[in-house]
Amino acid sequence: MTRMWPPGDGIRRPLAPRVSALREPVDPARIGRRVVRRQAKGMDADAVAAALDDARFDARQASRHEDLADDARGPAELAEWERIEQLLADAVPGTVYDPDTDPVVRAELEADAAAAAARETELREAARVAARADELQALRELGTLEQTEPRIGDEAARDELTRRAGGYVQADVDGWLAHALAAHLGHYRDPAAREEAAGLLTPPVLAHAALLAELARLVPGADVDQLAFAARLATTEPEAAGALAAFLTRARP
């Protein structure tokens, strides 16, 4: 079988998993609120009121400069001083501001922890997909991919290999997954995994699998090479291939 990977000069250039999109973006407003909280720590109501007056003066000055019109930090700092002033106004007289007991701060910390855990999970998953893509690539180079049973998550590894190829469809990987899906190999033994694959694989792969399943039912023991036309039909006309598979379900041996 002719290998479709890699395109070009045949030199494999593995890519690192994409993690830049998982990094927390810089948020000027958030930075401004944190600065205010550090400054306000230990202040009583009078001190906070004085700081709020200064913040309002700074806001009026900034409003005169067009280059600061889109500044998010200044308004956020002003709003935070106003919030802290109200917080102390509602508290027992003589209370000083403490970020550690501020319910808003505590809620933000909990949200930050949950977001960090989610990012860590995404990073681990990206690394796992990249490692599996490397493994599948090695199996391709050894010529043993077709003898390998797919695992949970190989649909994502398939997408990673396609990305590394600059978006070129990896015909051998698509064919491997289609055969496995049609024959219920690997994790596709589980009906739930086969159902989930409908939302993870491309229409040509799904149409190829459906057509292979019906052809294998009609002609048991048919050689893979004899069914090569199914891949070509599914690639060029996935809707027609799917329709043909549905039609063949009516043909009972």
Side-chain angles (χ1 to χ4, degrees):
M1 180 176 63
T2 302
R3 281 199 237 154
M4 303 297 291
W5 175 270
D9 55 14
I11 300 175
R12 178 171 173 248
R13 300 180 178 86
L15 301 180
R18 293 169 294 176
V19 298
S20 58
L22 304 180
R23 294 172 183 163
E24 185 178 5
V26 175
D27 185 349
R30 186 182 182 87
I31 293 172
R33 288 190 293 269
R34 288 176 174 175
V35 169
V36 169
R37 291 164 188 169
R38 286 196 298 269
Q39 293 175 348
K41 185 173 183 178
M43 286 185 176
D44 60 14
D46 291 338
V48 168
L52 176 56
D53 287 340
D54 292 340
R56 286 170 173 163
F57 174 80
D58 291 340
R60 288 193 296 270
Q61 293 296 105
S63 66
R64 301 174 183 176
H65 300 277
E66 292 184 1
D67 58 323
L68 298 177
D70 296 328
D71 175 43
R73 178 169 170 173
E77 291 184 359
L78 176 58
E80 188 65 0
W81 280 118
E82 291 173 341
R83 188 188 69 80
I84 293 173
E85 181 192 44
Q86 185 60 50
L87 184 67
L88 292 180
D90 296 337
V92 176
T95 300
V96 297
Y97 178 71
D98 184 359
D100 295 337
T101 60
D102 187 335
V104 171
V105 175
R106 292 171 68 90
E108 286 184 3
L109 291 175
E110 291 176 2
D112 289 345
R119 285 194 299 273
E120 181 63 26
T121 298
E122 291 183 54
L123 287 170
R124 285 198 300 268
E125 176 62 13
R128 187 196 66 78
V129 169
R132 180 58 172 166
D134 288 341
E135 183 179 353
L136 294 180
Q137 176 57 36
L139 292 171
R140 298 168 87 180
E141 294 171 353
L142 292 172
T144 58
L145 178 62
E146 290 183 350
Q147 288 76 51
T148 304
E149 290 196 350
R151 305 174 188 167
I152 294 175
D154 277 355
E155 297 87 0
R158 177 257 180 206
D159 293 341
E160 173 64 11
L161 287 171
T162 301
R163 183 189 72 84
R164 294 180 182 184
Y168 289 98
V169 172
Q170 306 301 286
D172 56 343
V173 177
D174 280 3
W176 168 64
L177 286 173
H179 280 278
L181 182 57
H184 300 177
L185 302 177
H187 69 298
Y188 292 134
R189 292 187 181 93
D190 184 357
R194 297 197 296 274
E195 183 177 353
E196 186 179 10
L200 299 175
L201 296 173
T202 62
V205 177
L206 295 172
H208 187 191
L211 190 53
L212 286 176
E214 291 306 316
L215 292 172
R217 181 178 61 81
L218 293 173
V219 187
D223 187 82
V224 172
D225 293 336
Q226 293 178 302
L227 303 178
F229 68 89
R232 295 194 294 272
L233 178 59
T235 299
T236 57
E237 294 289 345
E239 291 186 9
L244 177 58
F247 180 80
L248 292 178
T249 61
R250 299 162 55 187
R252 299 297 175 185

